[in-house]
Amino acid sequence: MEKRYFTIGMAGHIDHGKTSLTKALTNIDTDRLKEEKERQISIELGFAPLYEDDEIQISVIDVPGHERFIRQMIAGVAGIDLVVLVVAADEGVMPQTREHLDILKFLGVKNGVVAISKIDRVDEEFIELVKDDIFEELAGTVFENAPFVLVDSLSKKGIDEIKELIIKTLKDQEMRDIKGAFRLPIDQVFTVKGQGTVVRGTVYEGSVEEGQLLKIMPKGLEVRARQIQVHHKPAEKAYAGQRTAINLSNVSKEDLERGDVLVSSEHFIVTKTLDVAIRMVEDLEHLVKQRMPIKLHIGTAEVMGRIVFFDRNEIKEENGEVLCQLRLEEEILTKRGDRFILRRPSPQETIGGGWVIDPRGNKYRFGNETIEELEKKKAGTPKERITAAFIEAKSLPLNELIKRTALDEATLTEHLGDAEFVLYNGKEYTLQLLIDSLEEDIYDRLHDYHLAHSMKPGVNKAELLQTMQKRFPKSLLDYVVENGITNGIFNRKEQFVSLSGFIPNVPKSWAKRTENMLEELKRDGLKVRYLKDYFSGAGIPETLEFDLKRFLEDQQLLVQLDYQFAYHGEVFSGAVDKLRSQTGTEFEVGDAKDVLGISRKYMIPFLERLDAKGFTKRVENKRVWKM
């Protein structure tokens, strides 16, 4: 069973005990900043590992509850799989509790647990009254049927129960898509002395591995994941649902900011105009008017813009889903289906939220005709449904496409004939865009490998594809490689894949020393010293010996007799020709010694090498020429 990764969030009113509950569950104090300690409130997002076994790993985000820090709260909750709503027994549901509930609804968070905290501060009778009050407030929200636990973080009452409940709930829950394109909205940027720039966030989807080439969007900066950490421990990979810190190369801290997104694919769209479906909060304090300024919170980004209606000029009260458009002052990265929150800049308040219908919105006329078009977009055109299915699953046979898109076979067949879709291996379809992206990824991997291992003929195909197979079907990866070979982009020799036109070579820094070593070996003819003496004499390090010997043998510049001795390729060939010309169809060891004039310590391994290369075959005490 593949391990699954989840992040949970603590939400609720200020001073209701979120940070204390996190500490009781994890033994980690998530208030790190001096200002947080002094004021006893959470300002920045706090993180801690909660639980891990062979099946799942769970992290906790302690989300700020104070109204002034609502943007950090949105950034934290946007990446979580389960919310623990903390309500203090001595206060009950408070204004920020209600606002957090609205935000959770708009962000589509459906899985929750209610923690009634600080129970040691009140008597049992009062707790019952508070429970009734809480359940009344939660009616009609995503927490209406959520299980609840009575807890006290100081006495540790209920801590084991709520931890077990969280673990059980998540073990029954599907994790995020780890096979999609990697996406990590950045919520923290900092530097580590001696390491450079580090970004942190929750992996929304996909996975990332050390050394992978990535992009910072919407800025378009190319970076490489030098190192990955999960909960302050080094990791080779990070997966959807994990809190992750990534040390990036080729970028400075000043180039990045919260709201940027780290991605592995060009499939995500950078935009300033979004077609959206929104809902307003139930009790709007002020009118939401046509083209009024709004603050959009999406992922970890916070962007100013305006709201544009096409069938009204204002909203007085919550009246169902509204199809409209957001026109932003800055570019963001997003895709269809992403959730967001809308806040009024002044006076500050949450006014609504919703999801992205189309990240590539155009200018439309006011009227019902536009609303009808947006309704169609909301349902999704056949091509959009097909594309979305491929972005999620990477490749699918026709029968699976029918299930995923709910389109009939005739409609699918009509659209699958378009240039952006590709049928490969006779039965599976995929996106041409995905093939191009994979081809580029493999090209980059091979290019980097050739730079690091210039003497090797290429990468073993199985090794090349192994790290990619968790994100893409093997059949698709095989097709991309074979297609690249057919189109002259890649080359294959036996099991090794290389870039077309690549010729193995000794690194420039060692070329002259290798040349000197070979000349000395050639001068010594058939009476050579130990091979390692030639390497050390030329100043070639031991770490390079293995690859260099294999390369020189592949180029027929060196022939190893055994683990100690080797001949220059030309010397070996000359010895074979001389021995063949002076021995007839067969010969004995003594005959060879007379011809070549070398001692037994060279002769025996030389003759065994002749056998291994297929020049001769040993028959009792004689050798018979085969070639």
Side-chain angles (χ1 to χ4, degrees):
M1 176 185 256
E2 199 165 39
K3 193 164 182 174
R4 296 176 296 152
Y5 304 92
F6 298 100
T7 299
I8 72 168
M10 297 284 175
H13 193 75
I14 182 174
D15 201 30
H16 273 210
K18 299 185 299 298
T19 302
S20 298
L21 179 55
T22 301
K23 186 175 180 180
L25 285 166
T26 65
N27 295 317
I28 293 174
D29 186 353
T30 55
D31 276 350
R32 309 172 314 285
L33 303 179
K34 180 182 177 184
E35 189 182 356
E36 291 178 326
K37 299 286 188 187
E38 290 173 351
R39 298 169 61 185
Q40 296 188 328
I41 61 172
S42 296
I43 298 170
E44 289 291 342
L45 303 171
F47 311 101
L50 172 70
Y51 177 80
E52 184 169 11
D53 62 19
D54 292 338
E55 292 181 44
I56 63 172
Q57 180 190 77
I58 306 173
S59 310
V60 183
I61 297 180
D62 175 20
V63 184
H66 194 281
E67 192 275 335
R68 284 177 56 197
F69 309 120
I70 198 77
R71 69 187 181 93
Q72 282 92 333
M73 183 266 169
I74 294 168
V77 170
I80 68 174
D81 304 289
L82 177 146
V83 173
V84 178
L85 183 69
V86 183
V87 183
D90 58 345
E91 288 193 311
V93 175
M94 298 292 283
Q96 262 73 59
T97 315
R98 297 186 184 96
E99 186 167 25
H100 283 203
L101 283 168
D102 282 335
I103 289 169
L104 295 171
K105 176 180 72 175
F106 295 137
L107 291 177
V109 177
K110 298 175 182 175
N111 221 353
V113 172
V114 179
I116 301 176
S117 64
K118 304 184 180 184
I119 57 171
D120 281 1
R121 293 191 180 187
V122 296
D123 57 34
E124 290 187 15
E125 187 176 345
F126 192 80
I127 288 175
E128 290 303 315
L129 292 173
V130 170
K131 279 165 57 177
D132 290 341
D133 175 50
I134 290 171
F135 293 147
E136 185 177 333
E137 289 285 351
L138 296 183
T141 74
V142 291
F143 283 83
E144 183 173 23
N145 298 310
F148 72 92
V149 181
L150 302 176
V151 299
D152 190 275
S153 300
L154 296 178
S155 66
K156 299 295 178 73
K157 289 179 183 175
I159 297 302
D160 289 340
E161 288 85 344
I162 194 167
K163 189 170 184 176
E164 288 173 11
L165 179 60
I166 290 167
I167 294 167
K168 181 181 181 301
T169 303
L170 289 176
K171 281 196 172 183
D172 293 335
Q173 184 171 321
E174 286 296 314
M175 71 174 284
R176 295 164 184 258
D177 177 21
I178 66 168
K179 293 187 176 179
F182 170 72
R183 177 164 55 146
L184 181 142
I186 296 168
D187 55 48
Q188 290 176 342
V189 184
F190 52 95
T191 55
V192 175
K193 191 173 182 180
Q195 298 294 321
T197 305
V198 178
V199 298
R200 185 183 283 144
T202 301
V203 183
Y204 266 32
E205 56 194 319
S207 61
V208 63
E209 58 191 59
E210 275 192 354
Q212 188 170 344
L213 286 170
L214 302 167
K215 274 196 173 182
I216 300 286
M217 301 301 285
K219 294 180 171 74
L221 302 174
E222 290 193 352
V223 296
R224 188 182 294 276
R226 290 173 56 190
Q227 294 175 311
I228 298 171
Q229 281 196 353
V230 177
H231 298 315
H232 307 291
K233 293 180 182 178
E236 291 183 2
K237 295 189 75 170
Y239 301 91
Q242 285 187 313
R243 283 295 307 172
T244 304
I246 303 178
N247 177 208
L248 301 177
S249 63
N250 306 326
V251 69
S252 68
K253 177 179 179 290
E254 290 68 33
D255 294 328
L256 307 180
E257 59 190 321
R258 183 204 299 255
D260 288 337
V261 187
L262 191 60
V263 298
S264 65
S265 169
E266 301 286 349
H267 296 162
F268 296 107
I269 293 164
V270 172
T271 181
K272 292 172 72 173
T273 306
L274 312 178
D275 294 340
V276 298
I278 63 172
R279 288 183 181 274
M280 298 299 172
V281 298
E282 290 187 8
D283 300 312
L284 279 171
E285 291 189 26
H286 307 87
L287 290 176
V288 176
K289 296 183 178 181
Q290 175 74 290
R291 297 183 180 273
M292 87 171 201
I294 50 91
K295 189 179 287 185
L296 170 73
H297 296 267
I298 187 164
T300 58
E302 178 184 352
V303 183
M304 292 297 296
R306 293 185 180 274
I307 188 167
V308 178
F309 298 118
F310 300 106
D311 61 346
R312 68 196 72 201
N313 286 309
E314 61 183 33
I315 296 179
K316 297 178 181 178
E317 58 185 6
E318 198 276 334
N319 59 351
E321 198 169 56
V322 178
L323 303 184
C324 58
Q325 192 172 79
L326 303 179
R327 297 180 186 172
L328 309 177
E329 294 179 6
E330 302 170 48
E331 289 186 323
I332 61 165
L333 178 141
T334 188
K335 71 175 188 179
R336 177 181 168 89
D338 280 357
R339 296 273 183 165
F340 61 83
I341 300 295
L342 293 180
R343 299 221 347 127
R344 189 192 304 272
S346 180
Q348 292 191 16
E349 64 172 338
T350 300
I351 59 173
W355 62 280
V356 177
I357 296 173
D358 186 353
R360 294 161 293 198
N362 293 312
K363 287 193 173 181
Y364 313 119
R365 291 183 177 181
F366 188 92
N368 288 331
E369 189 176 325
T370 294
I371 296 299
E372 288 172 9
E373 287 301 310
L374 291 177
E375 286 283 3
K376 290 178 185 176
K377 274 194 180 186
K378 180 184 165 188
T381 65
K383 188 168 286 188
E384 285 171 338
R385 292 194 218 173
I386 297 168
T387 300
F390 285 137
I391 288 174
E392 182 180 349
K394 312 311 175 198
S395 70
L396 292 164
L398 187 61
N399 61 334
E400 277 298 315
L401 264 177
I402 292 171
K403 292 177 188 175
R404 284 179 179 252
T405 61
L407 297 171
D408 60 77
E409 186 172 343
T411 302
L412 275 174
T413 304
E414 177 187 347
H415 287 284
L416 288 171
D418 293 349
E420 57 257 60
F421 304 116
V422 175
L423 174 67
Y424 72 97
N425 72 15
K427 59 183 180 180
E428 289 181 276
Y429 291 89
T430 190
L431 289 170
Q432 181 63 54
L433 192 66
L434 192 54
I435 291 173
D436 294 342
S437 176
L438 281 172
E439 189 177 88
E440 185 178 342
D441 187 3
I442 293 171
Y443 185 98
D444 290 340
R445 288 168 185 256
L446 291 174
H447 180 265
D448 291 348
Y449 188 87
H450 292 330
L451 287 177
H453 308 282
S454 65
M455 292 182 290
K456 293 186 176 180
V459 187
N460 185 300
K461 182 184 174 185
E463 183 184 331
L464 173 67
L465 302 185
Q466 183 180 14
T467 57
M468 305 173 74
Q469 277 178 224
K470 282 198 172 182
R471 293 182 291 138
F472 303 98
K474 185 176 182 299
S475 61
L476 178 57
L477 294 171
D478 285 336
Y479 171 78
V480 173
V481 171
E482 296 303 319
N483 191 55
I485 292 169
T486 301
N487 293 331
I489 298 166
F490 309 133
N491 186 42
R492 183 180 56 222
K493 182 179 180 183
E494 298 175 346
Q495 74 269 37
F496 298 104
V497 180
S498 65
L499 292 180
S500 181
F502 169 73
I503 300 173
N505 59 89
V506 177
K508 287 183 180 180
S509 54
W510 301 107
K512 188 61 180 177
R513 296 189 187 199
T514 302
E515 185 182 329
N516 293 339
M517 185 269 290
L518 287 172
E519 286 178 3
E520 188 176 358
L521 187 67
K522 186 176 181 181
R523 279 197 304 270
D524 288 346
L526 296 174
K527 298 177 181 179
V528 293
R529 293 173 283 129
Y530 292 137
L531 182 58
K532 66 179 182 181
D533 292 340
Y534 290 95
F535 279 102
S536 60
I540 296 170
E542 287 186 16
T543 54
L544 204 64
E545 280 186 27
F546 181 81
D547 285 346
L548 185 54
K549 281 190 287 189
R550 176 176 285 184
F551 169 75
L552 295 175
E553 281 203 286
D554 287 344
Q555 301 298 311
Q556 299 182 345
L557 293 170
L558 184 79
V559 178
Q560 279 201 258
L561 304 184
D562 56 19
Y563 71 95
Q564 291 181 310
F565 298 111
Y567 284 159
H568 189 284
E570 291 181 18
V571 171
F572 180 83
S573 297
V576 174
D577 292 343
K578 184 177 181 181
L579 186 60
R580 190 197 297 270
S581 66
Q582 296 185 33
T583 54
T585 59
E586 61 183 31
F587 62 91
E588 296 182 359
V589 174
D591 300 327
K593 286 179 69 177
D594 292 341
V595 173
L596 300 178
I598 55 177
S599 65
R600 186 177 183 82
K601 74 174 181 179
Y602 299 121
M603 182 54 69
I604 298 305
F606 174 77
L607 294 177
E608 288 177 350
R609 181 54 57 188
L610 287 184
D611 296 340
K613 283 182 166 291
F615 289 113
T616 57
K617 180 181 180 182
R618 184 173 178 176
V619 180
E620 296 179 350
N621 292 328
K622 294 183 179 182
R623 278 181 167 79
V624 179
W625 289 103
K626 293 173 64 179
M627 298 172 62

